[in-house]
Amino acid sequence: MAVAPSAKGWAPFRGHRTWYRVTGTPDGGRPPVVVVHGGPGSTHDYLLRLAALAEDGWPVVHYDQLGNGASTHLPDAGADFWTVELFRAELDNLLRHLNIQDRYVLVGHSWGGLLCAAHAADRPEGLRGLVIADSPASYPLWRQEMEVLRAALPRGVDRILRAHERAGTVDSPAYAEAVRVFNDRHVCRVRPWPPEYVATVMEIANDPTVYRTMNGPSEFHVIGTLRDWSVEDVLPDIAVPTLVLSGRHDEATEATVRPFQERIPDVRWEVLEESSHMPHLEEPERFHALLVEFLKGLDP
């Protein structure tokens, strides 16, 4: 049984509010683990199983990034508002609000992994360790590999996708049906989709502002403001032990993940053979075991 949440609340941020949930009690024992979700434009829901780490003494912080979930929504904000700098500043603000900036671990999933890598490259004094899960090191690499994955879809699927992308009809049921073929292969291979993942998908559908602005209409049609962003150049500046995780069938392919292994000085990369982009849902026992092993290695 997971430890019950000890706190929920909002951190004031630039006139808005960042929602957070803390499982367990930060009491000076093991460092809190801050979970940074993907998207951009996703929510914390699909990563809730990581709260089980609190059973072994690591308090776990989940939060919804600005514009998503229970945090302040800003559907009328322009593209110039939704920046990497905004979300880096929001993470810094949350650490200070919870008074854990002097001792913490980051777990970033997908876009959250890039965000955490950029944060870690600044060498914050309180950061004790970093987990990058199912993240590309750059969006140019991501877009390049999406072409490979699209070409391998069942006959006719990519043709349907491209026809709707050219026509600007990406909100059509036919496009959504074809996207599901890709997602079932490379995003989450569990059938039916786990309820916590469905909750996040529904949250994105309810307000796709951030996702559409920064990413695009789908995982593989990245035409948003992040399309050329990369953290490759700053990876050598990461000075804490780092665990990189990815799935064998991941949309974050090996080519997109490899720069983390090649450029971070103290790094270990584990591939989960039966997983795609959600190994914490697809192979939860192995994923949890790898996290616990890594976190125990950070103990003094």
Side-chain angles (χ1 to χ4, degrees), residues 159-178:
R159 177 179 54 79
I160 294 170
L161 292 169
R162 293 185 188 276
H164 285 284
E165 289 162 4
R166 286 193 300 269
T169 53
V170 294
D171 290 319
S172 73
Y175 187 77
E177 184 177 345

Side-chain angles (χ1 to χ4, degrees), residues 98-242:
L98 296 175
N99 196 29
I100 59 174
Q101 71 275 13
D102 293 332
R103 193 165 175 261
Y104 63 99
V105 176
L106 289 180
V107 177
H109 180 262
S110 196
W111 135 264
L114 285 90
L115 190 63
C116 290
H119 174 95
D122 284 344
R123 301 192 175 186
E125 290 186 6
L127 183 62
R128 296 293 181 264
L130 172 65
V131 179
I132 298 172
D134 311 281
S135 306
S138 86
Y139 280 94
L141 273 178
W142 176 276
R143 290 189 288 113
Q144 175 182 305
E145 286 295 288
M146 286 302 111
E147 294 300 315
V148 176
L149 296 181
R150 290 176 68 140
L153 290 172
R155 185 177 181 87
V157 173
D158 194 40
R159 177 179 54 79
I160 294 170
L161 292 169
R162 293 185 188 276
H164 285 284
E165 289 162 4
R166 286 193 300 269
T169 53
V170 294
D171 290 319
S172 73
Y175 187 77
E177 184 177 345
V179 167
R180 180 64 185 258
V181 175
F182 179 93
N183 290 349
D184 282 346
R185 283 187 167 206
H186 300 298
V187 181
C188 185
R189 296 165 72 87
V190 177
R191 304 292 181 275
W193 281 352
E196 57 265 56
Y197 177 53
V198 173
T200 284
V201 170
M202 293 179 67
E203 287 280 4
I204 296 173
N206 287 338
D207 185 357
T209 302
V210 182
Y211 186 79
R212 289 285 180 93
T213 300
M214 298 185 75
N215 184 83
S218 68
E219 296 292 276
F220 46 80
H221 190 45
V222 180
I223 56 176
T225 57
L226 286 180
R227 68 188 312 273
D228 296 318
W229 186 53
S230 171
V231 295
E232 288 184 88
D233 289 347
V234 301
L235 296 179
D237 296 327
I238 296 176
V240 294
T242 301

Side-chain angles (χ1 to χ4, degrees), residues 37 42-49 62 64 69 195-197 199-200 203:
H37 67 68
S42 184
T43 65
H44 78 286
D45 301 87
Y46 75 103
L47 293 164
L48 270 174
R49 292 193 194 185
H62 287 88
D64 287 335
E196 57 265 56
Y197 177 53
T200 284
E203 287 280 4

